[in-house]
Amino acid sequence: MLRRTALLIAASAATLLAHAQQPAAKHGGEPWPTHPVRLLVGFPGGSSPDLTARLLAKALGQPVIVENRPGASGNIATDMVAKSTDGHTLGLLINGNLTIAKLLNPRTPYDPLKDLTPISLIGSAPLVLVASNSVAFKDVPGFLASARKAGDQWSYGSPGIGTVSHLGMELLAMQTGIKAVHVPYPGNPQVINGILAGELQLALLPPGLALPQIQAGRFKAVGLSSKGRSTLAPGVPSLAEGGVKDYQVEVWNAVAGPADMPRERAQHLANLINDILRRPEIREKMAAQGWQLIAGSPEALRLRMQTDSELMGSVIRARNISID
């Protein structure tokens, strides 16, 4: 059901709004925004992208309408951003929408690298490779040796074909020679239940879901999917530390606009977002949602989109993965 929540100017908003309109001459000579900004989210209210969008909208200091348009793993909202023509529509999007959507399904109605203007990264998070308690190992090399020996007798779960968890495990298999079989589930809660029930041996899970299970002794932590350690999973080593070199798979989110957005406006919005993400209270709230803040320029987001598309595209092609 369509949800629209108007998030209006707070007490200090006048200053921020004036700041937002300072570069008007660079926006075609007209002030911007001239009416409320529409921030589209491709997931339901209460989801991680939705919470991030609402936090950002409140901090922007100008009228913003957060509009939830869930469906097709966020691609419906992303397509609406790509096709918007009002000059006031942005999207709070995840990396799947901004990288692999077209690679997984050629019928996706937009091309993220051609039909969107990158604005700014927001946050990223590694995934935690977890194993059931039935799997015996002491470290990453020991785990890999056991996994290679088990071959296709082991299974791993993910919240669906083409998700970061799925592609991340396939990339790990390509790099290490393990052959665990993929079992897609409707979502990560079902993946967790599958491990607890003995149906699965492995999964890549967000830290917020993995750590409670690890701390309760229900799962074992193998390693993080990032190149280094993370404050989101204290004490968990990275797979790279254990010898899986050049392995990095993360989930991330970002703000983007339509392809015809003026470059100056994209840069100004990126600057404004970066200022917001430096605030201690924002960093604290984002960390509580499971994000490490990264922010950055439009060029940094474009580069991340390109490099992730190339990496995941190589996995999709090598493993012949597609979504009909």
Side-chain angles (χ1 to χ4, degrees), residues 106-307:
R107 291 181 295 180
T108 299
Y110 68 92
D111 184 325
L113 297 177
K114 296 179 181 179
D115 299 333
L116 296 168
T117 293
I119 295 174
S120 177
L121 286 156
I122 301 296
S124 68
L127 298 173
V128 184
L129 178 59
V130 300
S132 72
N133 286 332
S134 64
V135 177
F137 64 94
K138 293 183 178 180
D139 51 24
V140 173
F143 163 79
L144 293 175
S146 296
R148 293 186 189 106
K149 183 177 180 180
D152 61 4
Q153 298 305 300
W154 281 7
S155 299
Y156 75 89
S158 84
I161 296 172
T163 58
V164 176
S165 297
H166 174 208
L167 298 181
M169 281 298 297
E170 290 300 309
L171 176 62
L172 183 64
M174 289 169 61
Q175 293 186 350
T176 63
I178 67 175
K179 300 184 182 299
V181 177
H182 179 223
V183 182
Y185 284 74
N188 277 321
Q190 291 81 6
V191 171
I192 291 172
N193 290 336
I195 297 175
L196 295 175
E199 300 167 357
L200 305 169
Q201 285 71 44
L202 309 171
L204 278 172
L205 294 173
L209 295 178
L211 290 183
Q213 302 296 331
I214 294 167
Q215 293 164 353
R218 301 186 188 100
F219 294 170
K220 295 179 179 179
V222 181
L224 293 175
S225 65
S226 52
K227 288 185 177 180
R229 299 202 177 200
S230 170
T231 56
L232 298 177
V236 180
S238 68
L239 292 170
E241 283 181 60
V244 187
K245 302 300 182 183
D246 301 319
Y247 181 77
Q248 182 178 20
V249 174
E250 295 179 321
V251 293
W252 48 267
N253 56 21
V255 176
D260 63 355
M261 172 176 282
R263 180 175 304 204
E264 295 83 0
R265 186 179 301 165
Q267 183 61 62
H268 179 71
L269 284 167
N271 294 341
L272 193 58
I273 290 169
N274 276 255
D275 288 343
I276 289 168
L277 296 181
R278 291 190 188 100
R279 300 178 192 173
E281 69 275 15
I282 298 295
R283 300 183 74 86
E284 182 178 346
K285 290 178 180 178
M286 289 291 289
Q289 292 180 20
W291 294 106
Q292 300 171 145
L293 298 187
I294 47 178
S297 65
E299 291 74 21
L301 175 53
R302 183 178 298 280
L303 179 61
R304 187 67 183 264
M305 289 167 63
Q306 291 171 341
T307 55

Side-chain angles (χ1 to χ4, degrees), residues 32 37-40 56 77-94 97-98 110-121 254-263 265-267 269-270 273 298 301-302 305:
W32 187 94
V37 175
R38 185 184 182 207
L39 184 59
L40 295 179
L56 186 63
T78 309
D79 186 48
M80 291 176 66
V81 173
K83 291 180 169 55
S84 65
T85 58
D86 63 0
H88 286 68
T89 297
L90 308 173
L92 193 292
L93 310 171
I94 64 172
N97 309 136
L98 292 170
Y110 68 92
D111 184 325
L113 297 177
K114 296 179 181 179
D115 299 333
L116 296 168
T117 293
I119 295 174
S120 177
L121 286 156
V255 176
D260 63 355
M261 172 176 282
R263 180 175 304 204
R265 186 179 301 165
Q267 183 61 62
L269 284 167
I273 290 169
L301 175 53
R302 183 178 298 280
M305 289 167 63

